[in-house]
Amino acid sequence: MTISNQEEYYNETIELIKKANEYISDGKANVNQEYRNNYHVMAPVGWINDPNGFVYYKGEYHLFYQHYPYDTVWGPMHWGHVKSKDLVHWEHMPVALAPTEEYELDGCFSGSAIEKDGKLYLMYTGHYERAGTKREVQCIAYSEDGIYFQKYKGNPVISENEIKGSASIEDFRDPKVFKKGDLYYSVVASKTKDERGRILLFSSKDLFNWSFKSVLLEGNKEQGIMWECPDLFNIDDKDVLIMSPIEIQKNKYEFYNINSTAVFIGNVDWQTGKFKVENYHEIDYGLDFYAPQTCIDEKNRRIMVAWMQMWKRNMPTNDLKHGWAGSMTLPRELHVKNNRLVQSPIYDIYELIKIDTAFQEKNIQDDTLKFENICDENSYFKLKLDVEKTDDFQIRFAKSENEFILISYDVKEEVFTVNREKSGHKITGVEKPQLFERSLSVIPNNNLLILEIFRDTSSLELFINKQFTVTDTFFPIEKGKDLEITAKGKLIVKLLEKGNVH
Ligand code: FRU
């Protein structure tokens, strides 16, 4: 877009975008770098939450996000924007949406993106909440170049008229749009009158005129009081519905955060628009993973990114007035195996990892193996562990005198636990009791566990057997970099590799 077009665009509608962009470019310099990540997406300044509009468009990945540039707490939502050729190097783009119209005065809430005839379309929620009235409607914005967006004059495209009583207009948000055959579809989150999550399915021929098709899926009393951020796709011959339920009931090791994420695996009957569930489970077993969204790229990979933070807990970079809050997870490639969603890091990231330490076949027998100064701020670890003769082991990661992240595994119980209680600045929440650790059951493969740890300055993403993930933020005060592996019984470290992500 030329400068004059750009100006016209600003003058026409979006003074607020100009203001936000100016604020961001002025404010960047004042952001405290101490806990800024190196290879994860963050806003240049201010608050972020959900990933939005994740799409592969004209040879590049675009990722938008819920953004309030003016503070490090949530506020009237804008859409921030980054793009990338490889999912690892991201370029900051101008703010894409700001709340300017009556139907979205209190925020441009979460949504998604799709290409049509070379243009990029955003479908998002207009949020209005004033004087006791709350209303959420679905809206369209479009762009010729994927950078500057125009809001559709006929917005909202889905409101009371289309939902016909099938949802509460107060909680009706986060449209994920996709194409199937000749039709566009959108899944939208809502809830029933008696507070159970509900996902609605709408269809359209042109992205502007939508009609209600069905209640795709509805939860029971245990499955949460509201569902947010749905995404529906087909992979490995299964239909997969991911979403973020609020207050879904705990179940063994699952759903301990007040805001959880869940995946439902099964089949959609496209005649009736109903989802037949075969299995469901939590998506990530950490403390900081919410509102995931996927895109499909030209290699047909289904890639997921989530917000790497959690509602209803304090955020150290806000407490410390560092000028920013929130980050995205590493993009992860998805598959379905044995009716479970499995995740592995996108392979592009491995090209950036330079291995600088490696060894094979080291036994730890009732002892501790110590490495000094190894857990760098952007480090990667791969461990292949044989636990046939092990009772349990603990890994103290990013260890200093008083701080560390504790990753432990109980072989008899087949339970992993990741604990961040002693990892630095305290993170507490409204949950009772306070949650500093999460556990999950993992059955070794022929006695083998393969752990991959992606550490960035203030985050840890653990991949176990390229299947399970645990995502936690942590904000070390002492900046420890040691690593210790302690085993009861005999642990065979078949391989340990350490590198840095550049
Ligand atoms: C999920 C969510 C969405 C909403 C957005 C607002 O984290 O609550 O449902 O659209 O955040 O920022």
Side-chain angles (χ1 to χ4, degrees):
M1 185 180 258
T2 62
I3 294 295
S4 66
N5 277 344
Q6 209 183 96
E7 264 163 22
E8 202 177 295
Y9 169 80
Y10 282 147
N11 294 341
E12 249 180 36
T13 45
I14 322 262
E15 260 315 301
L16 268 184
I17 287 200
K18 198 171 168 191
K19 186 176 149 213
N21 286 329
E22 282 170 5
Y23 183 87
I24 292 166
S25 77
D26 294 347
K28 267 195 303 215
N30 303 326
V31 166
N32 187 312
Q33 300 296 313
E34 183 178 3
Y35 292 115
R36 297 278 289 174
N37 285 330
N38 298 304
Y39 57 95
H40 287 80
V41 170
M42 295 165 299
V45 49
W47 163 275
I48 72 173
N49 55 286
D50 315 355
N52 293 157
F54 191 22
V55 69
Y56 188 77
Y57 173 66
K58 294 189 177 162
E60 292 179 307
Y61 299 91
H62 288 255
L63 180 66
F64 302 81
Y65 50 85
Q66 289 284 279
H67 186 27
Y68 186 58
Y70 304 108
D71 204 341
T72 50
V73 293
W74 189 87
M77 282 291 116
H78 296 53
W79 276 36
H81 183 194
V82 285
K83 66 172 188 161
S84 169
K85 288 200 165 46
D86 60 5
L87 292 165
V88 219
H89 298 98
W90 295 94
E91 187 188 341
H92 286 286
M93 306 304 291
V95 164
L97 298 176
T100 53
E101 311 299 316
E102 184 69 17
Y103 53 80
E104 58 179 21
L105 264 191
D106 300 293
C108 299
F109 274 19
S110 284
S112 51
I114 194 164
E115 177 177 356
K116 179 179 167 243
D117 303 328
K119 286 190 193 157
L120 189 61
Y121 286 74
L122 306 181
M123 188 172 193
Y124 66 98
T125 297
H127 177 82
Y128 179 96
E129 190 166 5
R130 274 168 203 219
T133 304
K134 187 175 165 203
R135 180 174 182 247
E136 297 190 321
V137 293
Q138 316 319 319
C139 310
I140 291 281
Y142 45 82
S143 163
E144 300 278 349
D145 59 6
I147 303 173
Y148 301 102
F149 290 87
Q150 196 99 38
K151 285 170 188 158
Y152 174 50
K153 295 233 159 48
N155 276 343
V157 294
I158 309 182
S159 66
E160 293 86 344
N161 303 338
E162 287 73 27
I163 61 177
K164 301 196 179 92
S166 59
S168 139
I169 197 73
E170 299 188 352
D171 287 286
F172 176 51
R173 56 182 177 265
D174 312 335
K176 177 79 198 299
V177 60
F178 56 95
K179 195 172 184 196
K180 187 176 159 58
D182 293 336
L183 283 183
Y184 294 94
Y185 289 93
S186 187
V187 279
V188 188
S190 189
K191 63 180 186 190
T192 61
K193 284 203 183 75
D194 62 348
E195 306 229 299
R196 288 172 294 117
R198 193 177 241 189
I199 303 296
L200 307 176
L201 183 64
F202 294 85
S203 70
S204 169
K205 287 198 179 87
D206 56 9
L207 294 173
F208 298 121
N209 298 290
W210 289 89
S211 42
F212 172 75
K213 171 141 178 87
S214 60
V215 172
L216 180 74
L217 186 67
E218 189 169 285
N220 60 35
K221 274 269 172 228
E222 281 77 52
Q223 289 170 328
I225 57 167
M226 166 73 194
W227 289 348
E228 298 186 312
C229 302
D231 193 347
L232 177 66
F233 50 89
N234 184 277
I235 188 169
D236 301 324
D237 295 327
K238 290 286 176 185
D239 289 317
V240 173
L241 176 65
I242 66 176
M243 63 167 81
S244 299
I246 302 175
E247 290 180 29
I248 183 170
Q249 302 288 299
K250 293 174 193 164
N251 178 9
K252 203 164 181 198
Y253 299 119
E254 300 202 307
F255 308 123
Y256 275 66
N257 297 310
I258 291 178
N259 288 57
S260 288
T261 57
V263 54
F264 289 78
I265 297 170
N267 288 295
V268 175
D269 177 338
W270 288 97
Q271 291 297 317
T272 58
K274 298 280 172 199
F275 194 101
K276 195 169 161 290
V277 179
E278 293 170 4
N279 190 23
Y280 79 97
H281 61 85
E282 192 167 11
I283 300 178
D284 183 281
Y285 293 87
L287 296 162
D288 291 296
F289 184 94
Y290 197 64
Q293 188 176 95
T294 72
C295 85
I296 189 150
D297 70 2
E298 94 294 7
K299 296 173 192 128
N300 222 21
R301 295 187 292 176
R302 180 59 64 175
I303 302 164
M304 176 178 73
V305 171
W307 177 38
M308 190 160 59
Q309 200 95 57
M310 188 47 75
W311 291 118
K312 304 178 189 113
R313 296 206 185 107
N314 68 301
M315 296 182 191
T317 58
N318 170 50
D319 305 338
L320 296 164
K321 305 202 173 3
H322 277 193
W324 70 281
S327 178
M328 293 298 158
T329 62
L330 201 65
R332 304 166 181 188
E333 186 172 344
L334 301 180
H335 281 285
V336 170
K337 276 191 195 142
N338 303 326
N339 253 3
R340 285 189 65 98
L341 191 71
V342 299
Q343 305 175 49
S344 51
I346 34 132
Y347 53 70
D348 318 62
I349 189 88
Y350 292 103
E351 283 164 30
L352 298 188
I353 298 174
K354 288 199 193 72
I355 301 294
D356 55 35
T357 310
F359 62 77
Q360 291 179 355
E361 300 292 337
K362 203 163 223 153
N363 294 344
I364 311 177
Q365 173 100 44
D366 296 311
D367 200 4
T368 298
L369 187 63
K370 296 185 179 174
F371 300 88
E372 277 180 10
N373 221 10
I374 188 172
C375 304
D376 295 318
E377 290 202 336
N378 48 348
S379 52
Y380 163 78
F381 287 80
K382 182 171 184 180
L383 291 143
K384 213 186 241 185
L385 304 173
D386 184 331
V387 294
E388 190 184 359
K389 304 219 163 66
T390 323
D391 296 329
D392 58 57
F393 68 80
Q394 293 86 39
I395 300 173
R396 286 182 175 73
F397 188 87
K399 189 181 173 310
S400 60
E401 200 182 332
N402 303 300
E403 295 176 358
F404 51 84
I405 291 247
L406 185 64
I407 302 169
S408 48
Y409 186 67
D410 183 323
V411 178
K412 206 164 95 220
E413 302 291 327
E414 297 178 322
V415 173
F416 256 100
T417 302
V418 180
N419 182 311
R420 70 159 173 215
E421 188 166 12
K422 298 204 166 87
S423 65
H425 288 287
K426 271 267 165 311
I427 302 175
T428 53
V430 299
E431 69 265 10
K432 288 200 181 76
Q434 288 301 311
L435 201 56
F436 298 111
E437 64 175 36
R438 300 272 328 261
S439 295
L440 67 154
S441 44
V442 178
I443 303 171
N445 271 340
N446 296 324
N447 299 315
L448 280 185
L449 293 169
I450 297 181
L451 311 187
E452 289 183 271
I453 299 171
F454 288 84
R455 190 251 161 123
D456 209 332
T457 312
S458 54
S459 66
L460 181 139
E461 287 163 278
L462 169 67
F463 291 79
I464 306 171
N465 290 348
K466 284 214 162 55
Q467 175 173 8
F468 301 101
T469 61
V470 179
T471 305
D472 283 357
T473 60
F474 71 113
F475 299 83
I477 299 165
E478 296 179 355
K479 315 273 185 271
K481 286 193 180 176
D482 295 348
L483 180 83
E484 290 186 2
I485 309 175
T486 302
K488 215 197 275 153
K490 179 178 170 186
L491 176 71
I492 307 173
V493 183
K494 293 192 82 67
L495 172 82
L496 184 150
E497 276 182 354
K498 181 259 157 176
N500 277 338
V501 186
H502 284 290

